[in-house]
Amino acid sequence: MPHELERFHQLLVTFARDHADAIAVQGATERFTYRQLLPEVGLRTHSLRTCSPGPLVLALDNSPQLLFWDLAALFAERPCVIVPSFFSVAQFSHCIEQSGASHVLCDPQWHGTLAELGFAQQDVFWVREAEPAAALPAGTAKITYTSGSTGKPKGVCLSVEALLRVARALMAGASLLLYPQAQLGMGGASQVDFKRLLGAVALSGAQSLIVVPQLLMGLITAIERGLMQVGALRFVAVGGARVAPSLLARAEAIGLPVFEGYGLSECASVVALNRPGAARRGSVGKPLPHVQVRIAEDGEVLVAGSVLLGYLAEPPVCDSWWATGDLGHFDEEGYLYLDGRKKHQFITSFGRNVNPEWVEAELTQSGVIAQAFVHGEALPKNLALLWPLDPATPDTLIDQAVQHCNALLPDYARVHAWRRLPCPLSSTEDTLTANGRPRREAILRRYHSLLSDIPL
């Protein structure tokens, strides 16, 4: 057993001894103490060790069972692939075929697809002989598929050392709540029933959350309107996309303890995080102890210490420093600030560099606009395609939100003209990635005529 894995196992043994009756993980109908955690994982570890070789795919909804099987694969030293429930059939099939999976544990929605791929159900698994697949980099423990900027997901191969370095920086012996997506009001990659989500948060008594900016905006708006209280929440981590400073200011005004962070699949998740007593609004915090971060000459953020082994079916990564594709800078106290994506930055016809995520984040924090796409490459003025939170919102109200946003921006970054999208951006239309980020080239192709008709 690798050294990092032995250390992790010993930590769980210590938790089981010192916090035996404390709840380790809770789902919709199940809860397990730290005393019960290792035996549950151990049963599944034994089951995996008796199976024929090959990667294991987990395509299960959030629950304690997903956690137990994930940990079991780690201890059985079997490569494990996690597939999000919002992936399309084509994306799911791609993950299965590319990884050469031999065993799949999944929800019923995938049973028909697996049968078509030659799998047969045996006990809890869907099984087939391991297919020839792209060679896994040596030491691969986890393959996490990231949607990237194209429709075909990329398999990020991570070692047990990289995974557990990150885990060790975060583990605190707390209780983890793993509720099903439906209970949280989550549908697909970007559909949210905020009433159900906020109700689940309030009833759970959770003290900490990890959210993306759009969910944070819903939480803040509900508290501002008196629909819920801050309650037990004392640490709300936000990341996954740029967070507008105005949204962080709203959180501070209502006493919601929000801490912005930064992470990547390629770096086994979190890289930097604001923390109580060490926070700067607008930054993503200081790098955590398990990584090193520096800024390249062109402003790109580079990370070392916990990076991927490589992408599946691509050459292994040999450089110890991972070029993230994000632009950023440090302040004099070591706090990291992100300035947008390197490849998304456009240059206006006046020679001004603009990071569209910055402007889009400001537009979508107004409480009026749900989605924004900003474009200005080689143009004298910046254009935007917008979709409101409420489809019945009149154009006059949208325009007021745009003008309010413009008042906070320098002239070169302002939106000079806009049009309402005919329908929301979505992953099913290939205008959003599976995790909700704009597919910029696809949007430009799809809405070329709409953008071209906007007078400059």
Side-chain angles (χ1 to χ4, degrees):
M1 184 182 292
H3 177 63
E4 285 285 347
L5 198 54
E6 288 182 357
R7 290 182 63 185
F8 177 55
H9 184 271
Q10 186 54 49
L11 181 61
L12 294 181
V13 170
T14 301
F15 283 157
R17 181 192 67 212
D18 298 343
H19 309 284
D21 297 321
I23 300 299
V25 58
Q26 179 176 328
T29 59
E30 301 174 297
R31 58 173 58 190
F32 298 86
T33 65
Y34 274 102
R35 188 201 311 272
Q36 296 170 315
L37 176 61
L38 273 177
E40 291 287 342
V41 173
L43 286 172
R44 291 160 179 79
T45 302
H46 175 73
S47 176
L48 289 175
R49 284 174 174 162
T50 61
C51 292
S52 58
L56 167 71
V57 168
L58 296 178
L60 300 169
D61 200 355
N62 283 343
S63 70
Q65 298 304 319
L66 173 59
L67 174 65
F68 295 157
W69 282 108
D70 194 8
L71 290 175
L74 200 66
F75 287 120
E77 300 182 53
R78 177 183 288 260
C80 180
V81 184
I82 303 292
V83 177
S85 60
F86 54 76
F87 267 16
S88 67
V89 170
Q91 289 175 322
F92 176 79
S93 300
H94 169 73
C95 296
I96 297 289
E97 295 295 277
Q98 188 187 50
S99 66
S102 62
H103 291 70
V104 180
L105 271 167
C106 66
D107 291 325
Q109 73 184 83
W110 302 117
H111 289 180
T113 302
L114 287 172
E116 292 176 3
L117 293 174
F119 284 81
Q121 195 159 17
Q122 295 180 12
D123 297 324
V124 298
F125 298 109
W126 284 78
V127 181
R128 71 174 180 185
E129 292 297 319
E131 293 287 318
L136 298 180
T140 297
K142 176 70 62 67
I143 305 168
T144 179
Y145 275 90
T146 178
S147 55
S149 58
T150 62
K152 187 171 286 188
K154 298 181 72 173
V156 178
C157 299
L158 299 165
S159 68
V160 68
E161 290 81 10
L163 292 166
L164 294 181
R165 281 193 207 107
V166 177
R168 194 167 65 250
L170 301 173
M171 286 187 291
S175 175
L176 179 63
L177 304 179
L178 285 176
Y179 291 158
Q181 297 287 315
Q183 186 172 337
L184 295 173
M186 309 290 277
S190 55
Q191 299 171 16
V192 185
D193 180 338
F194 276 103
K195 183 177 180 181
R196 180 170 292 185
L197 172 64
L198 299 174
V201 171
L203 291 173
S204 72
Q207 296 179 322
S208 63
L209 299 172
I210 303 174
V211 296
V212 294
Q214 192 68 19
L215 297 184
L216 177 63
M217 185 179 71
L219 179 62
I220 290 172
T221 302
I223 295 172
E224 289 174 336
R225 295 177 180 176
L227 302 177
M228 68 177 293
Q229 298 179 337
V230 173
L233 290 171
R234 34 179 221 186
F235 189 93
V236 179
V238 59
R242 187 182 178 94
V243 185
S246 58
L247 188 64
L248 297 173
R250 288 169 60 190
E252 187 174 333
I254 59 175
L256 186 67
V258 173
F259 299 87
E260 191 174 359
Y262 170 58
L264 306 95
S265 298
E266 289 85 353
C267 297
S269 187
V270 67
V271 167
L273 183 65
N274 281 287
R275 287 158 280 176
R280 292 290 184 277
R281 187 197 295 176
S283 83
V284 293
K286 293 182 177 180
L288 294 174
H290 67 282
V291 292
Q292 300 85 50
V293 178
R294 63 182 175 89
I295 308 298
E297 289 185 3
D298 64 355
E300 186 172 6
V301 178
L302 307 178
V303 180
S306 186
V307 301
L308 76 166
L309 298 168
Y311 292 113
L312 198 57
E314 294 187 15
V317 170
C318 299
D319 195 334
S320 59
W321 288 93
W322 176 250
T324 65
D326 292 309
L327 298 171
H329 67 276
F330 283 106
D331 67 13
E332 65 281 357
E333 296 183 61
Y335 288 89
L336 177 63
Y337 295 76
L338 298 181
D339 302 318
R341 290 289 291 171
K342 184 177 178 180
K343 67 179 180 180
H344 293 160
Q345 182 172 273
F346 62 75
I347 305 175
T348 71
S349 60
F350 288 98
R352 294 291 186 180
N353 295 332
V354 179
N355 284 301
E357 291 107 327
W358 166 35
V359 184
E360 292 160 358
E362 293 292 346
L363 287 165
T364 55
Q365 306 314 321
S366 63
V368 175
I369 299 166
Q371 296 177 335
F373 173 79
V374 175
H375 172 64
E377 178 65 35
L379 299 175
K381 297 180 179 180
N382 298 329
L383 310 177
L385 300 176
L386 306 174
W387 181 259
L389 280 169
D390 181 354
T393 302
D395 285 358
T396 52
L397 189 57
I398 297 176
D399 195 64
Q400 288 175 16
V402 172
Q403 298 313 318
H404 176 76
C405 174
N406 280 342
L408 304 175
L409 295 169
D411 61 353
Y412 66 86
R414 292 172 184 161
V415 172
H416 301 94
W418 64 273
R419 287 290 184 271
R420 183 192 290 251
L421 284 160
C423 61
L425 304 175
S426 71
S427 56
T428 56
E429 297 288 333
D430 287 330
T431 49
L432 291 181
T433 65
N435 59 0
R437 294 179 179 175
R439 294 191 192 279
R440 297 188 179 274
E441 293 301 322
I443 294 170
L444 286 173
R445 288 194 301 270
R446 187 179 185 90
Y447 295 111
H448 173 76
S449 59
L450 183 59
L451 286 165
S452 299
D453 288 342
I454 302 177
L456 296 175

